[in-house]
Amino acid sequence: MFTEESFEVFNVDGLDERMVEIRAHIQPVFKEVLESIKPQVEEAVGRDAFVHIAQHIRRTKNAPESTWSAISLNKRGYKSEPHLQLGIWKDYVFMYISLIDNPKEEKVMADYLLDNIESLNSLPQDFVYSKDHTVPEHYPITDGGVEAAITRLRDVKKGEFEFGRVIHADSKIWSDPQKAKEFVEETYEYLIPIYTELLKAANHI
């Protein structure tokens, strides 16, 4: 599981140097956590699921400011469909359902979320959402802006929508790895049913 020290990888300068630290200290946690929840996903969707870990191979100069992993139903990638993400910025770890980079049936899925907005409104109050996966800003799911964000996903070509939970770097939960693990797993227990319904809406399952 992540620890307070996990966030220190973002203090390492240089692309190659930071990637060494990410591979050593972050990616094994990605694999451990997502492999542990993969059976739940497969049971829910009735298909094989696949774990993907970002390698940042297109980068040639700048070190990544965040890094992430995903579960999807596509063996070759994840961005073409809704997916479950686990990632880390220098300030927090995030656990999201992610709709980014114009996935197939994006408008259909956005309409599904708008028609079923109560499924998001009924999530615990510490859930958040993001409108752009390339920046660290996120917003409380209770702030009244969710519907507008989903509408933007549907109507704007570069629109994105992610939602789930974050755990900040200074959270006391990191001092108890078992408690942190349970919190992460609980978050995905909330997300997997919504993820499954999104896949159904888009005829992915």
Side-chain angles (χ1 to χ4, degrees):
M1 181 47 65
F2 301 109
T3 66
E4 292 176 346
E5 288 73 33
S6 300
F7 301 91
E8 294 177 4
V9 301
F10 297 105
N11 296 327
V12 176
D13 293 330
L15 171 60
D16 292 340
E17 293 82 357
R18 187 174 299 177
M19 285 306 305
V20 167
E21 295 301 307
I22 286 173
R23 292 187 186 106
H25 301 292
I26 303 299
Q27 293 184 353
V29 181
F30 286 163
K31 183 174 177 60
E32 175 191 0
V33 173
L34 293 190
E35 288 290 350
S36 74
I37 68 165
K38 190 174 77 163
Q40 291 176 258
V41 175
E42 293 178 331
E43 182 178 359
V45 305
R47 283 183 50 188
D48 289 342
F50 302 93
V51 172
H52 304 273
I53 297 177
Q55 301 298 329
H56 307 287
I57 56 176
R58 294 181 181 177
R59 288 180 175 268
T60 58
K61 183 178 180 181
N62 297 321
E65 295 179 344
S66 66
T67 189
W68 59 90
S69 55
I71 287 182
S72 76
L73 304 188
N74 187 335
K75 189 174 183 178
R76 295 185 177 183
Y78 55 91
K79 291 184 179 181
S80 65
E81 62 184 50
H83 53 276
L84 296 167
Q85 273 200 10
L86 174 65
I88 183 171
W89 290 84
K90 68 176 182 178
D91 296 323
Y92 64 85
V93 165
F94 60 89
M95 301 143 279
Y96 286 160
I97 289 177
S98 186
L99 296 161
I100 62 174
D101 292 341
N102 304 117
K104 296 174 183 177
E105 304 298 338
E106 180 178 48
K107 294 182 185 297
V108 171
M109 291 186 288
D111 282 335
Y112 170 82
L113 290 173
L114 290 170
D115 290 342
N116 294 274
I117 199 76
E118 275 305 310
S119 65
L120 275 65
N121 292 337
S122 63
L123 290 168
Q125 293 190 353
D126 62 342
F127 271 61
V128 301
Y129 68 98
S130 166
K131 298 181 284 188
D132 184 343
H133 78 283
T134 66
V135 297
E137 283 76 18
H138 55 80
Y139 311 91
I141 208 157
T142 56
D143 75 348
V146 169
E147 188 169 346
I150 298 171
T151 300
R152 184 177 186 275
L153 169 72
R154 183 189 65 189
D155 296 343
V156 177
K157 185 175 182 180
K158 292 187 177 180
E160 298 184 347
F161 186 66
E162 302 178 294
F163 62 98
R165 268 175 170 160
V166 303
I167 310 176
H168 290 280
D170 60 0
S171 173
K172 293 180 180 179
I173 200 171
W174 299 124
S175 64
D176 186 338
Q178 182 60 32
K179 189 174 181 180
K181 180 175 182 289
E182 290 171 357
F183 185 84
V184 170
E185 290 174 347
E186 178 194 73
T187 301
Y188 286 114
E189 287 173 5
Y190 281 112
L191 293 176
I192 288 170
I194 302 174
Y195 170 67
T196 303
E197 293 304 316
L198 279 172
L199 290 170
K200 289 178 180 177
N203 290 318
H204 287 299
I205 57 174

